Amino acid sequence: MLVREREGCSGDREGEIIGDEILSGQQKDTNSHFICTHLYNCGVKVKKISVICDDVEIIADEIRDYSSKYKYVITAGGVGPTHDDVTYEGLAKAFNDNLHYHPLILDIVKKLFNIQNETSPGLKLAYIPQKSSLKFGKEIQFPCINVENVYVFPGSPRYLEPSFQALCKDLFSGPRKFIKKKLCINVTEELFANALTTVSKEFPHVKFGSYPVADQSCRGQL
């Protein structure tokens, strides 16, 4: 789901979460939190996250738009064997490409899911854009699919998390690491809002934030 602006900060990323199940509230989006956490630890600043439906035209439009604005785009979801898994179709359409069965991924899918039938829906996982390159990581069985500056990951946390964790540093590490300090304060926000505004203006290159928490001993975090 994530990208760097072509003009701007050197570590920014954008991400897309794809799936009707997220938009309908049937599934919680834990992937955004997981990906953002790992990117932050790699010195990467996420600029935008989008959640879009399983629609080829919408996926293609979003990818085409974000690909032109950011250095890297990361997508999660829509790469399974069912009719509503259309991320690869949208990706191909975004770059005027065609889909084909990648021979290496066909072998991986057949072994991974013990597929014997050549008409199995599971083979759809190998039906990817012709321009794709494959990004493998340690101890992951299925590669990340990459077309130009777009990186495609599965939507299931069971598969996304080990894959993204294995590839994050190699693919997306920023030139610097972030330094984060947290201060707990036992007063309400209106009592320090003006002071926080003054400090943020004095140090424009430092990000300041205030986050209320439900804790009697710590009403807010800075």
Side-chain angles (χ1 to χ4, degrees):
M1 89 189 152
L2 311 119
V3 198
R4 185 181 80 181
E5 290 186 355
R6 294 195 181 277
E7 299 294 337
C9 299
S10 61
D12 296 348
R13 304 290 187 275
E14 182 279 338
E16 295 178 9
I17 301 297
I18 301 169
D20 290 340
E21 68 276 18
I22 302 297
L23 292 171
S24 64
Q26 296 179 55
Q27 297 289 337
K28 289 184 178 180
D29 171 25
T30 61
N31 289 333
S32 294
H33 179 267
F34 182 87
I35 292 174
C36 288
T37 298
H38 280 272
L39 288 174
Y40 186 90
N41 291 337
C42 288
V44 175
K45 182 180 179 182
V46 178
K47 292 293 289 187
K48 187 175 183 179
I49 298 174
S50 298
V51 181
I52 59 178
C53 62
D54 297 310
D55 182 282
V56 173
E57 294 294 335
I58 293 176
I59 293 171
D61 288 344
E62 291 280 296
I63 288 177
R64 192 182 301 112
D65 180 38
Y66 292 153
S67 177
S68 67
K69 293 178 179 177
Y70 301 94
K71 184 175 181 181
Y72 298 110
V73 179
I74 300 171
T75 76
V79 296
T82 58
H83 71 284
D84 55 345
D85 291 310
V86 293
T87 296
Y88 290 144
E89 293 178 56
L91 180 61
K93 189 176 183 65
F95 295 115
N96 297 313
D97 197 6
N98 296 310
L99 297 173
H100 76 137
Y101 285 101
H102 194 288
L104 177 57
I105 300 184
L106 274 175
D107 289 341
I108 293 173
V109 170
K110 289 178 180 179
K111 293 177 182 177
L112 195 59
F113 300 104
N114 193 28
I115 295 175
Q116 307 294 330
N117 186 350
E118 293 296 328
T119 62
S120 169
L123 299 181
K124 184 180 177 181
L125 277 71
Y127 199 49
I128 66 173
Q130 291 181 339
K131 297 177 182 177
S132 299
S133 60
L134 311 181
K135 304 297 182 182
F136 287 91
K138 292 182 179 180
E139 299 180 3
I140 60 171
Q141 297 173 296
F142 199 87
C144 166
I145 306 303
N146 165 224
V147 178
E148 296 196 14
N149 62 339
V150 180
Y151 296 81
V152 180
F153 289 87
S156 170
R158 174 185 176 186
Y159 298 110
L160 178 140
E161 292 181 5
S163 179
F164 195 83
Q165 191 167 14
L167 293 168
C168 183
K169 289 184 179 180
D170 290 337
L171 296 180
F172 309 117
S173 286
R176 301 180 181 87
K177 302 299 181 184
F178 294 125
I179 297 175
K180 179 171 63 175
K181 298 292 184 181
K182 183 169 65 175
L183 172 67
C184 287
I185 186 167
N186 195 23
V187 296
T188 53
E189 285 185 303
E190 68 272 11
L191 296 178
F192 59 81
N194 289 337
L196 189 60
T197 299
T198 300
V199 172
S200 65
K201 290 180 179 179
E202 185 176 352
F203 300 96
H205 298 298
V206 178
K207 285 288 185 180
F208 293 90
S210 175
Y211 314 102
V213 294
D215 189 331
Q216 292 297 323
S217 62
C218 178
R219 294 186 183 180
Q221 294 181 354
L222 299 179

